[in-house]
Amino acid sequence: MTWLKPSWQSVLAILFCLIAFALGAMSKPEAAALAEPTATIAYPYMGTKGLIVGLLLIAALVSAVRLAPIVEAVILFIGAHFAAWLLIKGIAGFEGTALAPYFLVLAAAWLLAWRCAALLSSLRPVASGAKTGLRLIIPAIFGAWILIIWEAVTRGAGIPFILLPPPSAIGIRIANSLPLLGEDVRQTIFKAVLVGYIVGNLAGFVVAILADRVPFLRRGLLPIGNMVSALPIIGVAPIMVMWFGFDWPSKAAVVIIMTFFPMLVNTVAGLAASGHMERDLMRTYASSYWPTLLKLRLPAAMPFIFNALKINSTLALIGAIVAEFFGTPVVGMGFRISTEVGRMNIDMVWAEIAVAALAGSVFYGVVALIERAVTFWHPSVRGG
């Protein structure tokens, strides 16, 4: 039958749905209501259980038919996400009562979303807008399902709030604490991280040029750089606080130390990346050190330099937040995390973590976009 092409995800999703339907109740209140038909017991999914399972079965069966990939992906997307929304909405107010069919239905929805993402990944659109859209949609589906599974498992299994709050509670906390989070971001990112990142990378780049120009500096600095890069941040941060005080300069100093040597090592390696033929060609033109550096060696080193910039974009944020644990004014992301943990406000801790992750991702993405613009000639960029 050439019109059939079932994937293993759709087959497994159908199997999970059938097992869940055969097992019966999806929650403990529903099981109690089935055991006592005459009793008046409120339970989740009173009118939506059949709709949830039916949506998943229809989407999985349609997926088994040979269709255009984009059509199949749209059907799977609607079925999986609508069913997941109904599943999470139904368990609200009945946390900790989920039974095995609940988790089987959740797994079936996840499998269909997996199949949807796999189909979208296989598409090769010609239009640049469609390519950009796919680059955004596929990671968005993947990230959304991390949150969906997190929300569904914490609510269904009744995981204590203090151990792991659901994403919805974290989102509410973020929405209610925007002014406070904004002050923390301004103190940690716009002061400590950005200043330390710029100074550390610039200093590492300049010293790398000097080390390339003066051989004994290269032989002496690189081993020290490897040693210093292995220093534990929890040992350096208190010293910087004693030297530069409790405000943001001490955190910027930690960031400078963390970003200086990755930039130094990567730039020195990048300056040695140009080929012998290119250098011989520059010598035939009677090119001295500085024209060769500017026209050949620095462009060839750009992938290495941007590699250091991307690594340092995450190291800088981590360094500043950890440094704030050892003394800071009553503001800052690290200060907020350490104090709210002591107060058992775990949702606020996760809110700070979420904001830090978002800021770090944006920071990394900006550096990556600049890299694509500067190193457009590199094979890794030309290959997409």
Side-chain angles (χ1 to χ4, degrees):
M1 291 183 290
T2 58
W3 53 276
L4 284 177
K5 58 169 189 65
S7 63
W8 67 269
Q9 292 101 330
S10 60
V11 172
L12 202 56
I14 293 171
L15 180 62
F16 283 171
C17 287
L18 294 177
I19 294 174
F21 188 78
L23 289 176
M26 294 176 63
S27 64
K28 293 175 184 177
E30 184 182 356
L34 292 174
E36 295 288 341
T38 58
T40 303
I41 300 175
Y43 61 89
Y45 313 114
M46 293 183 69
T48 58
K49 179 181 176 180
L51 177 60
I52 294 171
V53 177
L55 273 171
L56 295 174
L57 284 174
I58 291 171
L61 290 172
V62 171
S63 174
V65 179
R66 190 175 295 277
L67 296 171
I70 187 63
V71 175
E72 182 181 352
V74 169
I75 293 172
L76 289 171
F77 181 89
I78 295 172
H81 290 83
F82 190 38
W85 179 74
L86 291 173
L87 192 70
I88 294 172
K89 184 175 181 291
I91 203 66
F94 299 91
E95 285 80 1
T97 63
L99 297 176
Y102 172 90
F103 296 102
L104 287 171
V105 170
L106 176 64
W110 169 68
L111 285 168
L112 295 185
W114 182 349
R115 175 62 181 167
C116 173
L119 285 169
L120 293 175
S121 300
S122 66
L123 298 177
R124 295 293 181 267
V126 177
S128 60
K131 290 180 180 179
T132 303
L134 282 179
R135 290 197 193 103
L136 296 175
I137 291 171
I138 296 171
I141 293 175
F142 188 88
W145 271 91
I146 293 176
L147 298 178
I148 289 170
I149 293 173
W150 180 355
E151 181 84 18
V153 171
T154 53
R155 291 193 179 278
I159 296 175
F161 186 88
I162 196 170
L163 294 181
L164 186 63
S168 58
I170 299 170
I172 292 171
R173 185 67 184 215
I174 291 173
N176 294 333
S177 306
L178 287 178
L180 191 63
L181 292 170
E183 286 297 316
D184 292 341
V185 167
R186 186 177 65 85
Q187 173 73 16
T188 302
I189 296 178
F190 290 101
K191 289 184 178 180
V193 171
L194 284 182
V195 172
Y197 181 82
I198 293 171
V199 174
N201 283 308
L202 185 59
F205 178 78
V206 171
V207 174
I209 300 296
L210 293 175
D212 180 74
R213 183 63 171 156
V214 183
F216 87 88
L217 284 178
R218 182 169 62 252
R219 296 191 184 101
L221 274 176
L222 290 184
I224 295 175
N226 293 329
M227 181 187 70
V228 173
S229 62
L231 291 177
I233 184 176
I234 57 173
V236 175
I239 297 173
M240 295 299 104
V241 170
M242 287 190 293
W243 286 3
F244 299 102
F246 287 97
D247 210 345
W248 65 266
S250 59
K251 287 70 185 174
V254 173
V255 174
I256 290 170
I257 293 173
M258 294 190 68
T259 56
F260 175 82
F261 288 101
M263 176 57 73
L264 170 64
V265 173
N266 276 274
T267 304
V268 170
L271 291 174
S274 56
H276 293 289
M277 293 181 63
E278 291 86 353
R279 296 189 192 185
D280 291 340
L281 178 63
M282 295 298 291
R283 279 193 288 268
T284 61
Y285 292 147
S287 179
S288 62
Y289 174 81
W290 293 108
T292 302
L293 178 70
L294 295 174
K295 296 179 180 179
L296 172 64
R297 302 181 66 203
L298 272 181
M302 280 300 161
F304 293 83
I305 294 172
F306 275 102
N307 186 49
L309 289 172
K310 289 189 290 187
I311 293 171
N312 286 341
S313 67
T314 55
L315 284 179
L317 187 59
I318 294 170
I321 290 175
V322 174
E324 288 180 345
F325 290 175
F326 297 93
T328 183
V330 289
V331 68
M333 304 180 81
F335 165 80
R336 196 74 55 200
I337 290 172
S338 61
T339 55
E340 296 300 334
V341 164
R343 297 172 181 172
M344 296 300 176
N345 293 331
I346 306 300
D347 54 345
M348 188 62 186
V349 174
W350 278 99
E352 291 282 357
I353 293 172
V355 172
L358 179 61
S361 299
V362 171
F363 198 179
Y364 186 95
V366 169
V367 175
L369 288 175
I370 297 173
E371 179 188 21
R372 290 182 67 88
V374 173
T375 61
F376 59 90
W377 49 268
H378 197 264
S380 63
V381 177
R382 295 203 311 267

XYZ file of all heavy atoms in Angstrom, residues 180-229:
379
model
N 11.565 44.779 39.647
C 12.675 44.226 40.425
C 13.657 43.499 39.520
O 14.881 43.655 39.653
C 12.129 43.277 41.491
C 13.112 42.799 42.561
C 13.626 43.966 43.379
C 12.446 41.765 43.460
N 13.142 42.715 38.602
C 14.012 42.002 37.661
C 14.760 42.979 36.771
O 15.928 42.749 36.425
C 13.177 41.034 36.813
C 12.580 39.837 37.547
C 11.590 39.102 36.648
C 13.670 38.878 38.002
N 14.099 44.075 36.398
C 14.768 45.081 35.583
C 15.943 45.713 36.296
O 17.010 45.946 35.695
N 15.796 45.998 37.600
C 16.907 46.547 38.375
C 18.053 45.544 38.477
O 19.231 45.911 38.393
C 16.415 46.937 39.775
C 15.570 48.199 39.805
C 16.364 49.419 39.351
O 17.513 49.580 39.782
O 15.817 50.204 38.547
N 17.718 44.273 38.657
C 18.760 43.241 38.736
C 19.509 43.114 37.416
O 20.739 42.969 37.393
C 18.134 41.897 39.117
C 17.607 41.892 40.548
O 18.032 42.767 41.328
O 16.772 41.029 40.867
N 18.769 43.159 36.316
C 19.404 43.062 34.995
C 20.308 44.269 34.753
O 21.429 44.134 34.235
C 18.328 42.950 33.892
C 18.932 43.161 32.511
C 17.646 41.592 33.964
N 19.845 45.439 35.123
C 20.657 46.646 34.928
C 21.955 46.560 35.726
O 23.032 46.901 35.229
C 19.865 47.884 35.349
C 20.564 49.197 35.050
C 19.684 50.381 35.439
N 19.471 50.433 36.868
C 20.325 51.026 37.716
N 21.418 51.612 37.258
N 20.065 51.051 39.008
N 21.878 46.088 36.981
C 23.060 46.012 37.828
C 24.039 44.940 37.347
O 25.241 45.181 37.245
C 22.639 45.706 39.273
C 23.781 45.433 40.237
C 24.555 46.677 40.602
O 24.083 47.784 40.373
N 25.737 46.508 41.177
N 23.515 43.763 37.012
C 24.391 42.640 36.693
C 24.856 42.670 35.250
O 26.057 42.534 34.969
C 23.665 41.313 36.988
O 23.280 41.280 38.361
C 24.569 40.130 36.691
N 23.931 42.846 34.310
C 24.276 42.697 32.897
C 24.794 44.001 32.310
O 25.875 44.043 31.705
C 23.059 42.178 32.109
C 22.694 40.771 32.596
C 23.361 42.169 30.607
C 21.488 40.169 31.937
N 24.047 45.085 32.487
C 24.421 46.343 31.834
C 25.591 47.051 32.506
O 26.164 47.970 31.930
C 23.221 47.276 31.750
C 22.183 46.810 30.776
C 21.045 46.162 31.221
C 22.350 46.985 29.416
C 20.083 45.723 30.326
C 21.404 46.548 28.522
C 20.267 45.910 28.976
N 25.941 46.637 33.704
C 27.121 47.204 34.365
C 28.262 46.176 34.394
O 29.251 46.313 33.684
C 26.765 47.671 35.781
C 25.877 48.908 35.804
C 25.639 49.385 37.235
C 24.797 50.653 37.267
N 24.557 51.116 38.656
N 28.118 45.155 35.225
C 29.231 44.221 35.442
C 29.569 43.419 34.200
O 30.735 43.347 33.782
C 28.894 43.285 36.603
N 28.566 42.820 33.571
C 28.836 41.900 32.459
C 29.367 42.656 31.239
O 30.412 42.284 30.677
C 27.565 41.101 32.099
C 27.780 40.301 30.813
C 27.201 40.157 33.229
N 28.677 43.698 30.814
C 29.094 44.391 29.593
C 30.458 45.055 29.751
O 31.322 44.947 28.862
C 28.044 45.431 29.200
C 26.773 44.883 28.547
C 25.842 46.021 28.175
C 27.095 44.056 27.314
N 30.686 45.718 30.877
C 31.980 46.370 31.094
C 33.093 45.330 31.146
O 34.133 45.459 30.485
C 31.952 47.215 32.378
C 33.356 47.741 32.709
C 30.985 48.375 32.226
N 32.896 44.282 31.933
C 33.922 43.246 32.034
C 34.147 42.517 30.728
O 35.288 42.191 30.373
N 33.071 42.280 29.985
C 33.186 41.577 28.708
C 33.984 42.404 27.701
O 34.892 41.889 27.033
C 31.781 41.305 28.182
C 31.714 40.560 26.871
C 31.829 39.182 26.834
C 31.490 41.243 25.676
C 31.743 38.495 25.631
C 31.412 40.569 24.476
C 31.534 39.185 24.461
O 31.457 38.509 23.264
N 33.674 43.680 27.591
C 34.376 44.535 26.621
C 35.847 44.685 27.001
O 36.746 44.513 26.173
C 33.680 45.904 26.521
C 32.281 45.746 25.905
C 34.515 46.878 25.694
C 31.433 46.991 25.969
N 36.104 45.001 28.274
C 37.488 45.219 28.709
C 38.286 43.918 28.630
O 39.434 43.908 28.153
C 37.514 45.789 30.138
C 38.947 45.885 30.655
C 36.854 47.162 30.165
N 37.710 42.822 29.070
C 38.429 41.549 29.057
C 38.779 41.076 27.660
O 39.908 40.656 27.392
N 37.823 41.167 26.748
C 38.084 40.733 25.378
C 39.059 41.659 24.670
O 39.944 41.197 23.938
C 36.773 40.656 24.589
C 35.957 39.428 24.935
O 36.449 38.315 24.905
N 34.697 39.637 25.281
N 38.900 42.950 24.887
C 39.812 43.903 24.249
C 41.233 43.720 24.769
O 42.200 43.720 23.979
C 39.322 45.323 24.505
C 40.093 46.446 23.795
C 40.043 46.255 22.283
C 39.529 47.804 24.181
N 41.380 43.547 26.071
C 42.710 43.333 26.639
C 43.308 42.025 26.143
O 44.509 41.970 25.797
C 42.630 43.332 28.169
N 42.518 40.979 26.080
C 43.031 39.708 25.573
C 43.463 39.794 24.122
O 44.489 39.212 23.722
N 42.698 40.543 23.321
C 43.054 40.712 21.908
C 44.352 41.490 21.746
O 45.239 41.105 20.971
C 41.906 41.423 21.194
C 42.168 41.705 19.742
C 42.050 40.713 18.795
C 42.544 42.978 19.328
C 42.294 40.968 17.455
C 42.792 43.250 17.995
C 42.670 42.239 17.055
N 44.500 42.589 22.490
C 45.711 43.413 22.379
C 46.938 42.633 22.839
O 47.997 42.651 22.180
C 45.539 44.710 23.195
C 46.862 45.472 23.273
C 44.457 45.592 22.580
N 46.826 41.930 23.957
C 47.960 41.148 24.461
C 48.299 40.019 23.491
O 49.472 39.659 23.335
C 47.653 40.621 25.871
C 48.755 39.677 26.353
C 47.509 41.787 26.840
N 47.287 39.444 22.813
C 47.558 38.394 21.820
C 48.367 38.954 20.652
O 49.272 38.272 20.145
C 46.246 37.796 21.322
N 48.069 40.168 20.219
C 48.862 40.798 19.153
C 50.307 41.006 19.621
O 51.268 40.730 18.883
C 48.234 42.142 18.727
C 46.816 41.924 18.196
C 49.102 42.828 17.680
C 46.723 41.110 16.947
N 50.473 41.469 20.864
C 51.822 41.650 21.396
C 52.550 40.324 21.522
O 53.751 40.232 21.214
C 51.745 42.337 22.768
C 51.260 43.782 22.784
C 51.121 44.283 24.221
C 52.206 44.678 21.990
N 51.831 39.285 21.975
C 52.468 37.975 22.103
C 52.848 37.419 20.741
O 53.863 36.718 20.607
C 51.520 37.014 22.826
N 52.046 37.701 19.733
C 52.397 37.244 18.388
C 53.613 37.994 17.848
O 54.431 37.434 17.121
C 51.201 37.453 17.462
C 51.483 37.001 16.045
O 51.515 35.779 15.809
O 51.679 37.881 15.176
N 53.706 39.263 18.232
C 54.823 40.085 17.748
C 56.120 39.770 18.499
O 57.208 39.780 17.919
C 54.466 41.560 17.931
C 55.513 42.542 17.401
C 55.695 42.411 15.925
N 56.537 43.477 15.397
C 57.234 43.385 14.284
N 57.204 42.258 13.574
N 57.971 44.402 13.854
N 56.025 39.469 19.794
C 57.200 39.226 20.633
C 57.186 37.760 21.057
O 56.356 37.372 21.893
C 57.195 40.152 21.869
C 58.466 39.946 22.690
C 57.043 41.606 21.451
N 58.052 36.920 20.504
C 57.973 35.477 20.763
C 58.086 35.096 22.235
O 57.402 34.178 22.688
C 59.140 34.918 19.941
C 59.373 35.924 18.869
C 59.064 37.245 19.487
N 58.937 35.795 23.004
C 59.112 35.364 24.390
C 57.840 35.617 25.221
O 57.572 34.902 26.192
C 60.332 36.052 25.020
C 60.067 37.392 25.625
C 59.659 37.497 26.949
C 60.233 38.551 24.880
C 59.423 38.737 27.514
C 59.990 39.783 25.441
C 59.582 39.879 26.763
N 57.041 36.616 24.839
C 55.751 36.818 25.500
C 54.805 35.653 25.227
O 54.073 35.201 26.110
C 55.116 38.122 25.031
C 55.681 39.426 25.596
C 54.960 40.612 24.975
C 55.543 39.461 27.108
N 54.821 35.184 23.967
C 53.960 34.056 23.618
C 54.348 32.816 24.410
O 53.493 32.101 24.935
C 54.040 33.790 22.116
C 53.122 32.651 21.668
C 52.998 32.578 20.156
N 54.277 32.302 19.510
C 54.976 33.176 18.806
N 54.534 34.427 18.673
N 56.122 32.853 18.242
N 55.635 32.554 24.527
C 56.077 31.361 25.252
C 55.830 31.488 26.749
O 55.635 30.487 27.438
C 57.569 31.121 24.997
C 57.907 30.818 23.545
C 59.328 30.321 23.401
N 59.672 30.127 21.998
C 60.383 30.977 21.274
N 60.820 32.104 21.822
N 60.651 30.723 20.014
N 55.833 32.716 27.254
C 55.622 32.887 28.682
C 54.167 33.047 29.082
O 53.748 32.568 30.142
N 53.362 33.719 28.229
C 51.985 34.032 28.605
C 51.027 32.850 28.452
O 50.137 32.662 29.278
C 51.464 35.211 27.779
C 51.778 36.608 28.301
C 51.269 37.649 27.327
C 51.159 36.829 29.666
N 51.194 32.081 27.388
C 50.210 31.024 27.130
C 50.165 29.971 28.235
O 49.080 29.571 28.662
C 50.483 30.381 25.767
C 50.184 31.281 24.563
C 50.391 30.525 23.265
C 48.773 31.832 24.625
N 51.316 29.479 28.740
C 51.216 28.541 29.879
C 50.563 29.177 31.104
O 49.775 28.525 31.800
C 52.683 28.177 30.154
C 53.388 28.413 28.868
C 52.705 29.597 28.264
N 50.869 30.463 31.364
C 50.223 31.140 32.494
C 48.720 31.292 32.239
O 47.900 31.143 33.141
C 50.881 32.516 32.723
C 52.340 32.330 33.154
C 50.122 33.315 33.770
C 53.103 33.621 33.287
N 48.364 31.560 30.978
C 46.949 31.682 30.638
C 46.187 30.396 30.897
O 45.072 30.411 31.425
N 46.797 29.266 30.534
C 46.143 27.984 30.798
C 45.974 27.749 32.296
O 44.960 27.188 32.740
C 46.956 26.848 30.181
C 46.951 26.903 28.669
O 45.982 27.354 28.067
N 48.039 26.475 28.039
N 46.963 28.185 33.080
C 46.872 28.006 34.531
C 45.803 28.908 35.131
O 44.975 28.474 35.932
C 48.221 28.300 35.178
C 48.234 28.127 36.691
S 49.771 28.661 37.435
C 49.645 30.442 37.195
N 45.793 30.184 34.716
C 44.840 31.136 35.288
C 43.405 30.789 34.881
O 42.461 30.968 35.663
C 45.206 32.569 34.859
C 44.137 33.564 35.307
C 46.558 32.958 35.435
N 43.219 30.289 33.661
C 41.864 29.931 33.220
C 41.286 28.785 34.034
O 40.071 28.584 34.036
C 41.879 29.558 31.738
O 42.703 28.425 31.526
